[in-house]
Amino acid sequence: MSVTTSLGDDWVPAPDGVRERHAARVILVDDAGRVLVVRGHDADQPERSWWFTVGGGIDAGETPVDAALRETREEAGLTLAAGDLVGPVLTRTGVFEFFAETCRQHEVFYLARVADAVEVSAAGWTEAERELLDEMAWLTPAQLRDQPLEVFPPELPDVVDHLVSGWDGEVRHLGVQLDD
């Protein structure tokens, strides 16, 4: 018996029944120390929105680096090379409700530095992304802390503060985080 879901095919049921996937994310930092974040919402909770980094599911046959580069190109219109990515600098597993389903996403984060005021584009967003993603913005860690919306991972402002001066080579592991 197949179960219908609004989630993509890359979300597969784990042995405990929770749909999960592996994802690659990119902490894009510009010369001014700002991070590129995307604001989105859930179709089932349109009143709730939050900020998060560029990234998404790792497709079959893709490496995490390949997925990070593809997602950066599709979601932000920025073409990077594998050598532009540093890390992984961070890992976590986010557990959250999306499309009225509990989801578990195993995330690996890379750092990429870009020039100040680099132009980003939403032209590569899919139809689903256009429905659920609201905007992109370059925000400083202080601006992320001061604005009223949730930020995922919640430690992102601290992570960016730490990475602005350069990565120390240590992968930060945040463990399992409940994003609801």
Side-chain angles (χ1 to χ4, degrees):
M1 177 175 126
S2 69
V3 176
T4 58
T5 179
S6 296
L7 298 171
D9 293 340
D10 55 340
W11 291 95
V12 296
D16 63 2
V18 173
R19 291 193 179 272
E20 66 180 5
R21 73 175 182 178
H22 291 268
R25 310 204 70 80
V26 181
I27 301 170
L28 286 155
V29 177
D30 73 2
D31 291 339
R34 300 174 304 175
V35 62
L36 180 65
V37 286
V38 181
R39 186 173 61 84
H41 66 278
D42 186 346
D44 291 332
Q45 296 178 345
E47 71 286 351
R48 178 183 175 215
S49 64
W50 56 88
W51 293 103
F52 54 95
T53 61
V54 169
I58 300 172
D59 291 341
E62 253 185 340
T63 67
V65 167
D66 291 339
L69 296 172
R70 176 183 50 76
E71 289 287 344
T72 302
R73 188 176 58 255
E74 291 173 358
E75 290 187 1
L78 299 175
T79 301
L80 301 175
D84 295 327
L85 297 180
V86 175
V89 298
L90 179 71
T91 66
R92 78 175 200 128
T93 296
V95 179
F96 49 90
E97 294 291 318
F98 197 63
F99 283 120
E101 289 193 54
T102 300
C103 302
R104 183 171 40 236
Q105 183 163 265
H106 307 285
E107 300 173 333
V108 58
F109 291 75
Y110 295 90
L111 169 67
R113 295 185 180 280
V114 295
D116 192 18
V118 66
E119 189 174 328
V120 295
S121 168
W125 288 3
T126 65
E127 184 177 324
E129 287 169 334
R130 290 185 188 287
E131 291 177 19
L132 300 172
L133 304 182
D134 303 308
E135 66 177 313
M136 289 185 283
W138 290 99
L139 299 177
T140 65
Q143 289 169 322
L144 273 176
R145 287 183 190 98
D146 291 344
Q147 58 80 43
L149 302 177
E150 296 170 281
V151 175
F152 296 112
E155 297 85 354
L156 185 61
D158 295 336
V159 169
V160 173
D161 274 340
H162 180 73
L163 292 173
V164 163
S165 60
W167 184 48
D168 60 10
E170 185 176 331
V171 181
R172 188 171 178 181
H173 301 286
L174 300 180
V176 176
Q177 296 185 311
L178 302 178
D179 290 350
D180 283 325

